[in-house]
Amino acid sequence: MNSTTIGKYRWRIVALLFFATTINYIDRQVLSFTVINEDFQREILGLAKNHVITAADDAQLKVLLGYVDAAFKIAYALGFLLVGWFIDRVGTRKGFSVSMIVWSVAGMVHGLVSRAAGLVGARFMLGLGEAGNFPAAVKTIAEWFPRKERSFATGIMNAGANVGVIATALAVPFIIAHLGWRASFVITGALGLVLLVCWRLWYNRPRLVKNLSAEELAYIESDPDGKEDDKPARVSWLKLFRYPQTWAFALPKFLTDCVWYFFLTWLPLFFAKNNTLDEKLDLKSVGIPFLVIYIISDLGSIFFGWLTSTFMKKGWSANKARKTTLFICGLCALPIFFAAQTNSLYVAIALIALGTAAHQGFSSNILAMVSDIFPKKATGSVTGIGGMMGGVSGALVSVYVGHIDGYMPIFIYASTAYLLALLVIHLCVPKMQQAAL
């Protein structure tokens, strides 16, 4: 069946997932930019309003940010495991709705805190809620797309992460300048509640959507395992740990997610405080570099998703197509380490942009890989397990970066993580066969 001759309703679902991912990332990224604001720094460190920030204060803030971010990542890890399991049982529509409510309320609570302890609590709650996005999105794409289109659809959905970072970098400095740092959390947190209304109005499983044509439904269900079950499936996630396919996804998430989380959390401080660079950025000037970095990341997410789908449409096996694309992503990540050595701000921006594009391409493909190696009934749970592993590694790296002088070790690791992760995938699933649950 030719995809160009049928309906396009499934792409509306991808657009909804794209905006969900965008808002998810806006809410988590507000802190990374707000932390540059000196009024916020004084408030969280318990300093007087007229106190001049010193190098010792910067060091204390860096350690504190490491622990605060670790609280988010630990909750994110736990949330991934629990929410993936929850979504597979109650269904995507209800499970994702609960997640949106929790992360939106948590985002707004950030604007009420006045000390580090309150920030840790709000961050933990945000992590629990935000963990639902990717298990729900991956499961939705598995429900709405045949296998040959899932990489491209996942790439589009995953591109919302970069748009979220860009929107935050441009909007948060403006909000802080006019309304103060507390308003930045309240306004952005409320976006999730708008998203909730749209999700409840527009999303359902394909067979329950009246406006979906019979031709498009047949195309969606054209894979051998394409027809959806009438009831949400019940798969024990504990049993999933027995399968090498689970580790083919979970271990690469552990190896690579921490790199992405490092960029999301620490890049504003890297550009503002790193003594290696010949030019430093502040809250007013940081927006344009982030615009460049995450537009290129977006292109990487979509391009590498499209590349795998193109290979598969040419007749390549999922194994060959996906691993070839992952290898290209790994090669693109190799030069990242030089960003911590160069004196040129522009060279650092270019290298980090290439690295984040490689990560997003890699991430899109291993997310789509879940539906290659598992039936639909387990995709939420498996994605949750992988997200948990990524959250754990992200928490460890945040604490580590908070205590080290400089950033070189983590940049060196980022250069090699993706090729190492590809090796793990190949060892676990040499032929990328589907698990027989």
Side-chain angles (χ1 to χ4, degrees), residues 336-352:
I336 298 175
F337 76 95
F338 191 63
Q341 291 182 310
T342 182
N343 299 122
S344 170
L345 173 66
Y346 301 104
V347 172
I349 290 171
L351 290 170
I352 291 170

Side-chain angles (χ1 to χ4, degrees), residues 407-427:
Y407 300 93
M408 178 57 76
I410 190 63
F411 274 94
I412 292 174
Y413 174 76
S415 296
T416 58
Y418 299 92
L419 291 177
L420 178 60
L422 175 58
L423 176 62
V424 170
I425 292 171
H426 186 67
L427 292 175

Side-chain angles (χ1 to χ4, degrees), residues 59 69 85 95 116 151 193 283 375:
D69 192 54
W85 171 86
S151 292
L193 299 179
L283 194 58

Side-chain angles (χ1 to χ4, degrees), residues 250-259 389 393 413 417-418 420-421 424:
L251 289 177
K253 291 287 282 184
F254 181 87
L255 292 169
T256 61
D257 273 12
C258 57
V259 178
M389 296 289 283
S393 68
Y413 174 76
Y418 299 92
L420 178 60
V424 170

Side-chain angles (χ1 to χ4, degrees), residues 36-52:
I36 302 176
N37 179 257
E38 292 193 352
D39 290 336
F40 174 82
Q41 294 174 10
R42 295 186 187 97
E43 184 92 24
I44 296 302
L45 294 174
L47 303 173
K49 291 185 178 180
N50 58 352
H51 178 86
V52 177

Side-chain angles (χ1 to χ4, degrees), residues 2 29 31 192 220 230 282-283 317 378 393 418:
N2 190 340
Q29 281 303 109
L31 177 63
I220 290 168
D230 292 332
D282 57 20
L283 194 58
S317 67
S393 68
Y418 299 92

Side-chain angles (χ1 to χ4, degrees), residues 19-321:
F19 286 113
T21 304
T22 297
I23 293 172
N24 183 281
Y25 266 77
I26 288 174
D27 286 348
R28 79 174 64 180
Q29 281 303 109
V30 176
L31 177 63
S32 297
F33 293 96
T34 305
V35 75
I36 302 176
N37 179 257
E38 292 193 352
D39 290 336
F40 174 82
Q41 294 174 10
R42 295 186 187 97
E43 184 92 24
I44 296 302
L45 294 174
L47 303 173
K49 291 185 178 180
N50 58 352
H51 178 86
V52 177
I53 301 296
T54 66
D57 296 326
D58 285 336
Q60 183 183 356
L61 181 69
K62 192 165 179 268
V63 173
L64 175 62
L65 181 60
Y67 286 120
V68 168
D69 192 54
F72 172 83
K73 298 302 190 321
I74 290 170
Y76 199 56
L78 292 173
F80 251 118
L81 193 62
L82 297 174
V83 172
W85 171 86
F86 178 67
I87 288 172
D88 274 339
R89 275 149 183 76
V90 305
T92 316
R93 190 168 189 266
K94 183 185 295 183
F96 205 8
S97 297
V98 173
S99 176
M100 291 175 194
I101 293 170
V102 174
W103 98 52
S104 300
V105 172
M108 291 187 285
V109 167
H110 281 64
L112 305 178
V113 303
S114 57
R115 288 293 183 272
L119 189 60
V120 168
R123 212 68 192 157
F124 190 89
M125 182 181 175
L126 183 71
L128 287 176
E130 293 217 330
N133 185 75
F134 285 102
V138 170
K139 190 173 183 68
T140 298
I141 288 171
E143 291 171 343
W144 274 89
F145 285 85
R147 187 170 288 111
K148 61 187 176 183
E149 287 187 340
R150 289 176 192 166
S151 292
F152 187 38
T154 304
I156 294 173
M157 175 276 295
N158 205 33
N162 307 304
V163 174
V165 179
I166 293 169
T168 309
L170 297 177
V172 166
F174 179 85
I175 295 172
I176 292 175
H178 293 83
L179 300 173
W181 67 265
R182 294 184 185 278
S184 67
F185 289 109
V186 175
I187 292 172
T188 55
L191 293 175
L193 299 179
V194 177
L195 171 65
L196 174 65
V197 174
C198 297
W199 178 256
R200 299 296 296 182
L201 287 174
W202 298 332
Y203 173 79
N204 218 321
R205 290 157 56 201
R207 284 184 170 265
L208 299 178
V209 175
K210 296 180 180 179
N211 294 332
L212 185 66
S213 68
E215 292 80 8
E216 186 169 10
L217 178 62
Y219 181 72
I220 290 168
E221 297 181 343
S222 59
D223 291 329
D225 64 340
K227 290 189 177 181
E228 60 179 318
D229 297 329
D230 292 332
K231 297 180 180 179
R234 298 184 180 275
V235 180
S236 169
W237 59 261
L238 285 174
K239 291 182 180 179
L240 292 171
F241 284 103
R242 303 175 186 175
Y243 294 89
Q245 287 89 343
T246 301
W247 296 106
F249 177 67
L251 289 177
K253 291 287 282 184
F254 181 87
L255 292 169
T256 61
D257 273 12
C258 57
V259 178
W260 178 246
Y261 293 147
F262 164 75
F263 288 138
L264 292 178
T265 303
W266 296 96
L267 274 189
L269 280 180
F270 172 78
F271 287 128
K273 304 288 185 180
N274 185 24
N275 292 325
T276 303
L277 297 174
D278 56 10
E279 183 180 348
K280 293 182 175 60
L281 303 176
D282 57 20
L283 194 58
K284 295 180 180 179
S285 58
V286 76
I288 298 302
F290 273 79
L291 180 67
V292 172
I293 289 171
Y294 288 100
I295 284 179
I296 293 175
S297 298
D298 250 343
L299 296 176
S301 179
I302 295 171
F303 171 75
F304 288 116
W306 168 85
L307 185 63
T308 302
S309 292
T310 299
F311 288 153
M312 292 174 71
K313 288 179 180 179
K314 289 181 178 295
W316 289 26
S317 67
N319 183 59
K320 180 180 178 181

